[in-house]
């Protein structure tokens, strides 16, 4: 967005978002290989440009990598960039992986191969993974989840969904062409694709939709191991699990019991052939990005239709993302050490501490919490972990990502995948490592982890317009300050509020306080529900957690900004609107309305300021103005 400093004064009272971003929106162009521009996307694009330039010098040996992990990254990047070899090989490197699926003649054969298939990250009609036990976060537990569908959400399979019809046609056409490039005859292709799509549709009714999944506490359903393995009469789940873990766990946490109750219906001898076709298609789709450029571009057709991006990334950029995703934390530490200074890290850490202090004061002065609940909320806040910039150490697993020059790209990726998956399941017997970062430092994002009770701010987000040593303190609080307080607020949103200071799922509320909090959450749902945008209507229930966090974040950041000697609340609100200045394709906006837990950016910019009395004073907003909301309709939770 560049500086984006032009503000339309006449519009401030009616539409804060347009007043701040309108001029920019008129001329902003979405890159052809992306689905959005502005805000977070601009920062990501700048980092992409910077790192591609740096790593380009390493590829041509004008610069040298400083660590052995970076040296292996450069080797892998070179391998990924060798499109001459990739184009020459065509689909051949994928054949042995596809043949492995075709060799599964019946359910018994699949069952025997399943542990190895899971280690190589093949899809299955159920997903097993290791993660902290929500009620005992010092220890890992085995979890059972559901597979992803071809369509973005089960609701797309409901009758009358016109968008689904178009998407499935695009998917079917793309698959037909991919099968041809991979050397399969028409009869095999038609039959396999039809069976795969039919099987996917069969799975959909038993899954949760995005709104149900947004209530993630309901994904905690503990089964004894015996009860879990008895869910399937046709697959020996006990054998699969013990093979992966080296032992039988005492329990399994199931995310979607309805789906697992239907497992016998979904996975049996009668469904095996169509299930195998589904596995074959999933395997092919997973490999397209590692093959020839023609196959890579073709294999992205469906996702581009979903997002609305007009063209595929160029080969070098695709290789960059493939390599940086494989070595994400290695690249993150390189970026952080080179481009993120100690002064900025200390300054942001101070802002986080200040924001926590503001939050604490607000909890102490809160008028609707009882003393009992208030004390426990403060205990949780005091225990909140703070991670800024980058992790102190690199995960030792990256030292094992050694490129084998005798292997092609697909085989090297598979080798790395097995290392990652094997290490993943080994964690079952270990104490939970709360120091592990789930985002690399070069990613423009931030998060709160309810099971660890920590907030994490990677270095990449800590730049203008979110944060800069050049900006006023008020602008910084309207940007990164509000983001920091947003993540703190997740500890007290409708999901996070159900976890205690240790990150365990436990109720620490009095009955009356919880009822009042739930009433306020319902008001937040109602404030957004049904709001209409060109792409469609907002689902208030889907976006409630993020809206509670936005409301708490903006309100607390405002209080922090007001305490500074150079407070300028106009700057505060303008920068808040600026960070949400984004332009997206209509397809992406439509997709996000259906599946994203965040409200559309224009509403994030406009609605929360309307809940704050200071906004009315700063811009002299009166009844009749577009930004006006009657005092009794303004919602304050934290």
């Amino acid at each position: 967005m560049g500086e984006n400093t032009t503000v339309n004064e006449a519009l401030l009272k009616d539409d804060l978002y347009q007043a701040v971003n309108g001029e920019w929106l008129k001329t902003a162009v979405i890159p052809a290989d992306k689905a959005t521009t502005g805000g977070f996307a601009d920062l990501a694009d700048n980092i992409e440009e910077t790192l591609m330039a740096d790593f380009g010098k390493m590829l041509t040996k004008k610069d040298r990598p400083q660590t052995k992990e970076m040296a292996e990254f450069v080797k892998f990047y070179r391998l990924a960039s060798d499109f001459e070899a990739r184009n020459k090989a065509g689909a051949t490197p994928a054949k042995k992986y596809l043949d492995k699926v075709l060799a599964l003649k019946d359910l018994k054969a699949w069952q025997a191969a399943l542990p190895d298939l899971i280690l190589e990250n093949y899809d299955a009609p159920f997903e097993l993974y290791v993660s902290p036990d929500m009620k005992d976060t010092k220890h890992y537990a085995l979890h059972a989840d559901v597979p992803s569908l071809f369509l973005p959400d089960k609701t797309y399979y409901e009758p009358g969904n016109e968008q689904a019809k178009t998407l499935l046609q695009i998917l079917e056409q793309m698959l037909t062409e991919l099968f041809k490039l991979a050397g399969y005859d028409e009869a095999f292709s038609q039959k396999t694709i039809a069976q795969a799509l039919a099987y996917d549709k069969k799975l959909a009714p038993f899954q949760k939709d995005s709104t149900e999944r947004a209530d993630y506490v309901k994904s905690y359903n503990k089964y004894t191991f015996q009860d879990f393995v008895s869910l399937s009469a046709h697959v020996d789940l006990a054998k699969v699990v013990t093979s992966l873990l080296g032992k039988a766990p005492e329990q399994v946490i199931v995310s979607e019991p309805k789906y697992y109750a239907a497992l016998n219906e979904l996975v049996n001898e009668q469904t095996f052939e169509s299930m195998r076709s589904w596995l074959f298609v999933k395997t092919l789709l997973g490999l397209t990005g590692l093959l020839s450029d023609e196959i890579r571009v073709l294999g992205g057709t469906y996702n581009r239709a979903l997002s609305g991006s007009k063209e595929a990334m160029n080969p070098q950029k695709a290789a960059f993302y493939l390599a940086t995703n494989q070595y994400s934390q290695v690249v993150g530490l390189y970026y952080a050490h080179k481009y993120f200074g100690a002064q900025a890290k200390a300054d942001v850490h101070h802002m986080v501490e200040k924001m926590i202090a503001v939050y604490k004061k607000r909890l102490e002065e809160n008028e609707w919490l009882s003393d009992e609940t208030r004390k426990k909320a403060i205990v949780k806040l005091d225990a909140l972990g703070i991670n800024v910039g980058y992790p102190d150490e690199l995960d030792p697993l990256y030292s094992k990502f050694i490129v084998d020059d005798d292997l092609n790209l697909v085989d090297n990726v598979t080798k790395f995948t097995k290392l990652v998956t094997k290490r993943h399941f080994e964690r079952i017997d270990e104490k939970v490592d709360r120091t592990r970062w789930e985002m690399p430092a070069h990613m423009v994002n931030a998060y709160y982890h309810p099971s660890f009770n920590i907030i994490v701010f990677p270095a990449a987000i800590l730049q203008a317009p979110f944060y800069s040593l050049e900006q006023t303190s008020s602008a910084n609080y309207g940007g990164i300050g509000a983001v920091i307080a947003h993540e703190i607020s997740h500890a007290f949103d409708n999901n996070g509020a159900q976890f205690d200071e240790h990150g365990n799922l436990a109720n620490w509320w009095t009955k009356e306080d919880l009822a009042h909090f739930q009433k306020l959450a319902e008001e937040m749902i109602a404030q957004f529900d049904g709001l209409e945008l060109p792409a469609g209507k907002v689902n208030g229930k889907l976006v409630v957690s993020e809206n509670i966090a936005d409301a708490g974040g903006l309100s607390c950041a405002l209080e922090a900004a007001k305490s500074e000697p150079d407070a300028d609340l106009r700057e505060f609100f303008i920068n808040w609107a600026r960070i949400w200045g984004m332009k997206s394709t209509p397809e992406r906006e439509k997709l996000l309305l259906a599946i994203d837990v965040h409200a559309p950016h224009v509403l994030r910019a406009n609605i929360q300021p309307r809940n704050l009395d200071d906004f009315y004073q700063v811009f002299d907003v009166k009844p009749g103005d577009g930004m006006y909301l009657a005092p009794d309709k303004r919602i304050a939770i934290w």
Side-chain angles (χ1 to χ4, degrees):
M1 284 179 77
E3 290 304 304
N4 187 24
T5 50
T6 310
V7 175
N8 184 333
E9 300 293 329
L11 264 182
L12 280 168
K13 298 178 185 217
D14 290 317
D15 188 331
L16 177 65
Y17 179 80
Q18 279 293 334
V20 174
N21 302 301
E23 282 305 306
W24 171 80
L25 285 164
K26 285 176 192 172
T27 56
V29 177
I30 300 168
D33 62 354
K34 302 279 171 72
T36 187
T37 189
F40 291 74
D42 273 6
L43 298 190
D45 290 349
N46 293 340
I47 289 165
E48 171 195 287
E49 196 179 317
T50 301
L51 291 180
M52 280 190 77
D54 284 5
F55 300 151
K57 287 177 190 168
M58 292 182 194
L59 283 181
T60 54
K61 299 185 179 174
K62 287 177 187 167
D63 205 348
R64 288 181 58 193
Q66 298 300 303
T67 66
K68 62 182 177 60
E69 290 86 4
M70 271 301 290
E72 288 302 319
F73 158 74
V74 173
K75 270 180 81 176
F76 184 80
Y77 187 20
R78 186 172 285 114
L79 184 67
S81 304
D82 186 359
F83 276 94
E84 192 179 331
R86 287 173 65 172
N87 292 341
K88 194 176 172 185
T92 307
K95 276 291 174 67
K96 68 179 178 184
Y97 299 99
L98 295 167
D99 287 348
K100 198 183 275 195
V101 177
L102 293 180
L104 304 168
K105 297 303 179 193
D106 53 28
L107 204 60
K108 191 179 174 187
W110 176 65
Q111 156 85 56
L114 195 49
D116 282 336
L117 292 172
I118 289 172
L119 285 177
E120 287 191 5
N121 208 26
Y122 279 80
D123 282 271
F126 48 81
E127 191 179 303
L128 301 172
Y129 68 97
V130 168
S131 190
D133 182 333
M134 272 197 217
K135 289 193 174 179
D136 175 17
T137 54
K138 285 183 179 174
H139 299 99
Y140 288 107
L142 182 68
H143 292 66
D145 204 353
V146 303
S148 60
L149 302 169
F150 292 133
L151 289 172
D153 182 86
K154 70 175 284 187
T155 55
Y156 282 70
Y157 277 116
E158 288 169 3
N161 190 316
E162 286 303 311
Q163 203 184 352
K165 205 169 157 187
T166 308
L167 288 171
L168 285 169
Q169 281 173 349
I170 293 166
L171 178 62
E172 196 170 345
Q173 178 62 35
M174 179 187 84
L175 288 170
T176 303
E177 291 177 42
L178 281 173
F179 273 63
K180 196 184 292 181
L181 283 178
Y184 296 101
D185 65 51
E186 195 179 340
F188 171 81
S189 301
Q190 284 184 353
K191 183 182 179 186
T192 305
I193 293 166
Q195 286 180 334
L197 295 179
Y199 189 72
D200 202 64
K201 189 175 183 179
K202 186 179 176 71
L203 300 178
F206 302 104
Q207 293 199 5
K208 291 180 179 179
D209 64 26
S210 297
T211 307
E212 292 168 312
R213 284 183 186 146
D215 188 354
Y216 59 69
V217 170
K218 286 187 179 161
S219 68
Y220 189 87
N221 304 282
K222 192 181 278 190
Y223 286 59
T224 65
F225 187 58
Q226 281 315 114
D227 285 347
F228 174 72
V229 299
S230 69
L231 289 169
S232 176
H234 308 289
V235 182
D236 188 345
L237 290 171
K239 204 168 182 179
V240 176
V241 170
T242 50
S243 174
L244 289 169
L245 299 183
K247 64 168 192 177
E250 288 178 21
Q251 68 208 24
V252 182
I253 295 158
V254 175
S255 63
E256 301 192 20
K258 181 184 169 186
Y259 181 89
Y260 278 84
L263 211 51
N264 281 331
E265 186 184 331
L266 300 173
V267 184
N268 55 56
E269 287 294 354
Q270 287 69 46
T271 63
F272 176 74
E273 193 184 343
S274 59
M275 182 189 92
R276 186 182 63 181
S277 293
W278 180 81
L279 296 175
F280 183 89
V281 167
K282 288 254 182 177
T283 304
L284 177 60
L285 288 174
L287 292 168
T288 56
L290 305 174
L291 301 171
S292 71
D293 200 48
E294 185 182 11
I295 293 172
R296 172 189 75 84
V297 172
L298 177 59
T301 308
Y302 174 68
N303 282 334
R304 289 195 295 280
L306 267 178
S307 71
S309 49
K310 301 293 178 278
E311 62 185 47
M313 286 180 180
N314 67 47
Q316 193 59 44
K317 199 184 281 191
F320 166 80
Y321 277 105
L322 178 60
T324 52
N325 288 339
Q326 185 66 64
Y327 288 80
S328 61
Q329 296 287 2
V330 175
V331 172
L333 285 181
Y334 167 85
Y335 169 81
H337 288 141
K338 185 166 182 182
Y339 295 105
F340 185 65
Q343 185 188 353
K345 182 169 181 169
D347 192 50
V348 174
H349 204 284
H350 170 70
M351 281 180 79
V352 177
E353 288 171 338
K354 180 163 185 177
M355 209 62 71
I356 289 172
V358 169
Y359 231 102
K360 192 170 185 175
K361 181 170 174 278
R362 291 174 78 99
L363 286 170
E364 285 165 352
E365 294 171 358
N366 183 290
E367 290 176 1
W368 58 268
L369 283 177
S370 66
D371 285 344
E372 190 184 335
T373 306
R374 181 185 291 109
K375 279 175 189 163
K376 287 179 179 170
I378 290 169
V379 165
K380 181 172 186 180
L381 190 64
D382 285 342
L384 187 69
I386 305 167
N387 288 341
V388 171
Y390 49 90
D392 294 330
E393 290 178 6
L394 182 66
D395 187 326
L397 185 63
Y398 285 97
S399 65
K400 295 183 178 180
F401 288 180
I402 295 167
V403 177
D404 186 335
D405 294 322
D406 295 329
L407 298 178
N408 60 45
L409 181 61
V410 178
D411 290 345
N412 269 291
V413 169
T414 304
K415 184 180 77 159
F416 294 163
T417 299
K418 285 177 86 166
L419 285 169
V420 171
T421 317
K422 187 171 174 290
R423 177 72 193 100
H424 175 84
F425 285 112
E426 283 170 359
R427 288 200 176 94
I428 194 73
D429 287 323
E430 298 171 9
K431 281 203 167 180
V432 169
D433 179 5
R434 291 169 183 253
T435 65
R436 286 180 71 231
W437 282 49
E438 297 189 353
M439 281 178 189
H442 66 292
M443 182 179 279
V444 184
N445 214 327
Y447 68 93
Y448 169 74
H449 197 308
S451 291
F452 294 173
N453 194 30
I454 58 167
I455 46 176
V456 180
F457 304 98
I461 199 173
L462 305 172
Q463 53 183 313
F466 293 90
Y467 167 80
S468 168
L469 292 166
E470 315 296 311
Q471 288 180 174
T472 65
S473 68
S474 292
N476 279 341
Y477 277 115
I480 197 64
V483 173
I484 291 167
H486 168 102
E487 299 306 339
I488 297 170
S489 296
H490 273 310
F492 305 101
D493 72 17
N494 58 310
N495 284 315
Q498 299 181 65
F499 294 81
D500 66 16
E501 72 274 20
H502 305 296
N504 291 321
L505 188 56
N507 181 29
W508 44 271
W509 296 71
T510 65
K511 194 177 168 186
E512 296 75 20
D513 288 345
L514 189 58
H516 186 80
F517 174 69
Q518 286 167 342
K519 180 177 169 291
L520 291 171
E522 287 295 328
E523 288 177 16
M524 188 64 79
I525 290 171
Q527 191 172 62
F528 280 79
D529 197 50
L531 292 176
E532 195 135 11
L533 292 162
K537 287 184 179 179
V538 177
N539 175 348
K541 205 169 180 184
L542 176 63
V543 295
V544 62
S545 294
E546 294 296 333
N547 287 335
I548 290 172
D550 271 353
L554 190 62
S555 175
C556 286
L558 175 65
E559 192 160 325
K562 284 161 76 174
S563 71
E564 293 288 343
D566 62 343
D568 180 343
L569 300 192
R570 177 189 157 87
E571 277 284 304
F572 173 86
F573 284 113
I574 284 173
N575 206 38
W576 165 258
R578 183 170 289 129
I579 66 172
W580 300 118
M582 284 180 238
K583 193 172 193 173
S584 302
T585 62
E587 295 89 343
R588 182 177 188 269
E589 289 181 354
K590 198 171 278 192
L591 174 67
L592 294 185
L593 276 176
I595 65 168
D596 191 15
V597 293
H598 301 85
H601 46 267
V602 59
L603 299 182
R604 295 184 80 172
N606 273 351
I607 290 189
Q608 298 306 344
R610 298 167 77 199
N611 286 320
L612 299 170
D613 294 344
D614 280 303
F615 177 76
Y616 295 84
Q617 290 160 18
V618 171
F619 296 107
D620 192 30
V621 177
K622 298 280 197 302
D625 292 332
M627 289 295 293
Y628 184 81
L629 190 64
D632 62 330
K633 296 274 194 272
R634 296 173 199 170
I635 302 168
I637 301 181
W638 299 115

